[in-house]
Amino acid sequence: MSKIQAPKGTYDILPDGNPKDPWTVSANWQAIERIAREVAALYHFREIRTPIYEYTDLFHRGTGETTDIVRRETFTFTDRGGDSLTLRPEGTPGVVRAAVQHNLLADQGSRLKVFYIAPNFRYERPQRGRYHQHHQFGVEAFGIAQPEQDAECITLQMDFYRRCGVKDLSLRLNTLGDAESKKRYRDALVQFLEPRKSQLSEDSQRRLTENPLRILDSKDEKDVKAREGAPAAQEYLSEASQTHFARVQELLTQGSIPFVVDSTLVRGLDYYTNTVWEVIAGGLGAQNSMGGGGRYDNLVETLDGKPTPGVGFGSGLERLLIALEAQGVDLPKSSPPLVWLISLGDAARDANLKLIQELRQHNIPADMDPTGRSAKAQFKLADREGAAYAITVGETELSSGNVVLKNLKTTEQTAIARSEIVAHLQSLVTK
RNA sequence: GUGGGCGUAGCUCAAGCGGCAGAGCACCAGGCUGUGAUCCUGGUCCGUACGGGUUCGAGUCCCGUCGUUCACCCCA
């Protein structure tokens, strides 16, 4: 197609998008964003909005130099002043940057609980459920190192899914240990795998020096085989990390949130320490990860803040909509009843232009067609646009001082005095 | 970044081995000169993503590009 089109891997959200591609339907976004805001408020997370691009360095230092996300998936460009900027590939670094920049975590005991609904950008081969621009609902909680905060984030996330109506979910949970445990384990793993280097996949041979933990969740058969008998992270956990992880599990169990511990779960972000988790949903095909998160107790200091613990998650909204569609779940669509004004003749049209203004000022959604088409065409339009009521005005009504109100669902039609129509509709619309 | 499938009206899709490009929905109008959602009739809209090639002839075969999709990779 030579006609101009949306860039590869992006899409438009339309009033009448394709229900088979639920992420293209604007009403769906309104529904899940409303639920996200409600659930965030219930857990007392407040909204934060940060720029869609940051200085490139932030993601290199935050997300991590060796992650796939930073190594090969960023949209990076130089601005006209010569600065290197990157469209954010994930939410956490920008939030940490903002918190540090505005001294929100400067005092001992500072705490901050925030959420965002925002686009992220990753340059990957696009396919259903994986786009160059995708959207996430995420939360970050700073200042509380206790496992209770991990559990609250997980609970919030699962609550969000429950309120949206997702059925087929599974929560995978793991711990990487604190920074020292993680390092000890990393060294042990390298020691184990180094002699087997030649048996590893090409990617994993590189990871061995750059990011050895990632070899654990490789699906490549060679890697699965080569890592047989590898030491488990659990064996290298500090006492504190062990009790932390045990308490997180205890809290989830108490909260009746089912989970499975999966020691191969590593996640693709360098900054995680201790708890990490991921939620898988049915109906998503290969792109089955709906959201994930973890604790990052060293990230704030990495980004020049005072040492402050943090934990949070990001959840893909396109994938949520795809899962809901695949599972046959309907989102609640709230639209207030629409009133359609039908005019027969120019004088009636002018009268209706006054009436429509009055209705709108009384918070009654109203619309009309001013093109002077037949009554039939105007009713047809009212029906197509989903109006609940039609008001007809013609010569007869103008001289009698009435309007004709029709309930388009029941087809009931009655004459009502023009002077009473607004109050009458208000009582119909508000009940 | 790797490998495969697909790309025909606004939408969903049809056109055995290459042989005059169609349907349903949608949209407009009329039947009903002031009544939709039902029904009937008529009409509008595409020339097959784009570019090239083979052929008397290409939607159909070949090559390239673009887009999309599936798997890998990665992750949301």
Side-chain angles (χ1 to χ4, degrees):
Chain A
M1 188 95 64
S2 54
K3 231 193 293 184
I4 195 160
Q5 54 191 302
K8 183 194 335 213
T10 68
Y11 59 90
D12 297 308
I13 300 170
L14 304 168
D16 291 301
N18 186 350
K20 288 277 173 212
D21 298 334
W23 63 92
T24 63
V25 179
S26 57
N28 289 341
W29 287 93
Q30 291 177 8
I32 60 172
E33 285 172 13
R34 184 177 53 73
I35 295 170
R37 287 171 189 287
E38 280 170 7
V39 75
L42 285 168
Y43 289 75
H44 187 228
F45 283 70
R46 291 146 75 208
E47 185 173 16
I48 186 167
R49 301 193 194 193
T50 63
I52 64 166
Y53 58 85
E54 299 275 357
Y55 290 119
T56 299
D57 188 45
L58 174 68
F59 300 112
H60 282 248
R61 286 166 61 194
T63 308
E65 210 67 75
T66 66
T67 59
D68 290 279
I69 290 175
V70 166
R71 280 184 60 247
R72 41 183 249 221
E73 295 177 5
T74 50
F75 281 88
T76 294
F77 60 99
T78 306
D79 72 11
R80 290 171 192 274
D83 288 322
S84 179
L85 302 171
T86 293
L87 299 183
R88 87 174 145 234
E90 56 123 348
T92 307
V95 172
V96 172
R97 191 227 84 225
V100 171
Q101 176 176 336
H102 301 288
N103 287 320
L104 304 181
L105 303 171
D107 300 324
Q108 204 183 10
S110 290
R111 46 202 278 163
L112 178 68
K113 299 207 302 186
V114 291
F115 79 93
Y116 52 83
I117 298 169
N120 290 338
F121 303 84
R122 293 185 199 172
Y123 192 85
E124 301 171 86
R125 175 86 76 102
Q127 65 190 66
R128 187 181 171 90
R130 190 171 83 174
Y131 298 99
H132 282 178
Q133 172 174 353
H134 77 278
H135 298 78
Q136 288 189 21
F137 166 50
V139 313
E140 315 289 349
F142 299 97
I144 296 175
Q146 277 67 24
E148 282 74 9
Q149 189 59 69
D150 309 41
E152 185 186 52
C153 289
I154 296 171
T155 306
L156 191 167
Q157 188 181 358
M158 301 310 282
D159 202 353
F160 171 57
Y161 298 144
R162 186 183 59 76
R163 286 163 188 266
C164 289
V166 198
K167 293 166 195 158
D168 185 9
L169 284 174
S170 84
L171 170 63
R172 299 165 66 211
L173 194 67
N174 192 24
T175 183
L176 304 174
D178 53 35
E180 290 78 51
S181 310
K182 198 173 161 186
K183 188 172 181 314
R184 267 204 308 277
Y185 178 52
R186 185 196 145 112
D187 292 345
L189 195 63
V190 172
Q191 202 161 38
F192 175 85
L193 288 173
E194 191 64 49
R196 288 156 230 258
K197 186 167 178 179
S198 58
Q199 299 162 40
L200 291 170
S201 69
E202 208 175 305
D203 275 335
S204 287
Q205 295 194 14
R206 174 180 50 73
R207 290 182 183 125
L208 195 54
T209 47
E210 288 188 350
N211 203 347
L213 259 42
R214 294 307 311 283
I215 298 173
L216 289 177
D217 65 1
S218 165
K219 280 182 262 177
D220 193 300
E221 275 182 42
K222 292 165 81 177
D223 296 333
V224 174
K225 209 160 194 162
R227 70 174 185 243
E228 264 173 29
Q234 268 73 7
E235 301 160 26
Y236 294 83
L237 289 183
S238 68
E239 182 106 14
S241 287
Q242 281 180 40
T243 41
H244 186 97
F245 191 49
R247 177 66 175 155
V248 170
Q249 295 179 62
E250 187 180 292
L251 288 164
L252 292 177
T253 305
Q254 279 173 18
S256 304
I257 294 175
F259 63 91
V260 294
V261 174
D262 182 346
S263 60
T264 69
L265 176 66
V266 173
R267 314 255 336 129
L269 307 169
D270 276 356
Y271 48 68
Y272 284 134
T273 51
N274 284 314
T275 322
V276 289
W277 70 90
E278 180 173 50
V279 179
I280 310 285
L284 288 179
Q287 261 58 57
N288 66 352
S289 171
M290 195 144 80
R295 179 164 276 286
Y296 44 84
D297 286 343
N298 304 101
L299 179 60
V300 176
E301 55 192 287
T302 301
L303 296 176
D304 306 325
K306 283 196 176 176
T308 307
V311 54
F313 71 80
S315 181
L317 296 181
E318 284 82 356
R319 291 187 184 178
L320 172 62
L321 290 174
I322 290 168
L324 289 171
E325 196 268 333
Q327 296 176 12
V329 179
D330 284 321
L331 285 162
K333 305 232 164 89
S334 61
S335 49
L338 177 67
V339 179
W340 200 271
L341 305 191
I342 288 163
S343 323
L344 305 165
D346 288 350
R349 181 201 55 209
D350 291 347
N352 274 340
L353 284 171
K354 278 187 189 152
L355 178 54
I356 203 170
Q357 193 66 10
E358 257 185 77
L359 291 172
R360 290 168 175 169
Q361 271 160 15
H362 287 83
N363 299 322
I364 299 167
D367 203 355
M368 63 187 278
D369 170 38
T371 61
R373 297 202 288 167
S374 68
K376 174 178 176 151
Q378 294 186 58
F379 269 94
K380 208 171 172 177
L381 197 56
D383 186 64
R384 197 197 316 148
E385 296 293 330
Y389 300 98
I391 288 174
T392 309
V393 175
E395 300 290 327
T396 331
E397 289 73 24
L398 286 176
S399 54
S400 70
N402 286 336
V403 301
V404 174
L405 175 67
K406 181 171 186 175
N407 181 324
L408 290 173
K409 194 154 193 184
T410 65
T411 76
E412 238 176 317
Q413 190 162 291
T414 50
I416 293 180
R418 167 64 175 83
S419 53
E420 288 167 20
I421 186 65
V422 174
H424 187 76
L425 278 172
Q426 262 188 316
S427 69
L428 287 177
V429 163
T430 49
K431 77 181 178 193

